[in-house]
Amino acid sequence: KKREYEKEIKKLENFNMINDLNMDIPLTIVKSYFYFKKNKKKIAIEILNNYELVNTIDDLRTKIYFLSIRMEISDFDVKNDLILSLDKMCRSYEKSKSERNGKKINLELLSKASFNLGKAFLRIGDLKKSNFWLLKNYEINKRLQHYVKLIPTLELLKANFERMGLRKKSNYYKNLENFYVDFLNSL
């Protein structure tokens, strides 16, 4: 059934305003993704930029999420300083959460950020940092049992190690990818 998502997003925004709910960030993300999926990347980026201009984002998790989405929408065609900024934020987030025993790390957030960082570093040609983040993504998704998300990560790892001339590691990740594909097909 074809639905008019623009009208539904507008209804959600009105509901949010009338009931004074704190759904601004989720609605911004949904609107941005909506335009991204309609191949209107410029509008999707503008929605994120406008939100950040009007609202200050103090929460590190939200900053990481916004940067990750911006990189995805831009198809990883971003400046190096943006990639390094996300890299620094993710490391800072992990460090701050590991220092506070009572706080748990949001693994879903780190999964998204680490995969996007892996792809971004691959795009700029830094294979070592790309592999670092992709391996981190692999471990996170394995721990979360997100096996479907492992396949694209393993494909990138396989290609990275092959480009680095490490054929054994490349074959290892190829076999691992085949294992997960077979496993998912058997379900």
Side-chain angles (χ1 to χ4, degrees), residues 7 27 29-30 54 99 113 128 164 187:
K7 286 182 181 177
L27 281 171
I29 301 299
V30 167
V54 174
E99 289 175 356
K128 286 185 179 181
M164 294 173 83
L187 295 178

Side-chain angles (χ1 to χ4, degrees), residues 16-184:
N16 185 39
M17 271 189 346
I18 290 168
N19 293 303
D20 198 27
L21 301 174
N22 293 324
M23 291 177 38
D24 294 335
I25 291 173
L27 281 171
T28 303
I29 301 299
V30 167
K31 284 186 346 189
S32 183
Y33 256 99
F34 171 73
Y35 284 105
F36 170 60
K37 291 299 180 184
K38 288 181 75 172
N39 291 324
K40 296 181 179 181
K41 292 180 184 180
K42 201 174 212 177
I43 295 173
I45 293 289
E46 284 177 14
I47 289 170
L48 294 175
N49 289 342
N50 289 341
Y51 183 84
E52 288 178 316
L53 284 173
V54 174
N55 304 291
T56 54
I57 301 173
D58 295 325
D59 183 34
L60 186 59
R61 292 179 309 172
T62 307
K63 286 180 184 180
I64 291 170
Y65 196 69
F66 265 73
L67 272 176
S68 291
I69 288 175
R70 179 174 283 114
M71 288 170 62
E72 252 180 74
I73 290 172
S74 302
D75 198 26
F76 305 96
D77 188 21
V78 292
K79 295 180 182 177
N80 291 357
D81 60 332
L82 189 66
I83 297 168
L84 295 175
S85 176
L86 181 58
D87 179 49
K88 185 179 176 183
M89 281 185 206
C90 287
R91 290 175 193 265
S92 174
Y93 174 71
E94 282 184 292
K95 185 178 178 186
S96 71
K97 293 299 180 184
S98 65
E99 289 175 356
R100 298 183 207 150
N101 294 334
K103 297 278 185 173
K104 284 191 171 186
I105 292 177
N106 185 334
L107 292 177
E108 293 285 345
L109 173 69
L110 280 182
S111 170
K112 183 174 200 57
S114 61
F115 184 75
N116 288 342
L117 277 168
K119 283 185 82 169
F121 278 118
L122 174 65
R123 184 163 182 117
I124 63 172
D126 192 340
L127 297 179
K128 286 185 179 181
K129 282 191 177 178
S130 176
N131 284 340
F132 170 80
W133 285 108
L134 289 171
L135 287 169
K136 183 177 281 291
N137 180 264
Y138 171 75
E139 291 299 323
I140 291 169
N141 284 321
K142 193 168 86 171
R143 190 160 54 164
L144 290 172
Q145 297 180 352
H146 291 171
Y147 301 121
V148 173
K149 290 183 178 181
L150 290 175
I151 294 169
T153 304
L154 291 170
E155 287 174 355
L156 290 172
L157 282 168
K158 176 184 71 171
N160 281 359
F161 282 115
E162 195 168 295
R163 285 174 65 187
M164 294 173 83
L166 302 170
R167 174 111 23 229
K168 278 187 177 181
K169 281 195 172 189
S170 178
N171 286 337
Y172 171 74
Y173 288 110
K174 180 182 179 182
N175 291 336
L176 205 53
E177 177 189 351
N178 291 338
F179 168 76
Y180 282 112
V181 168
D182 291 342
F183 172 71
L184 290 170

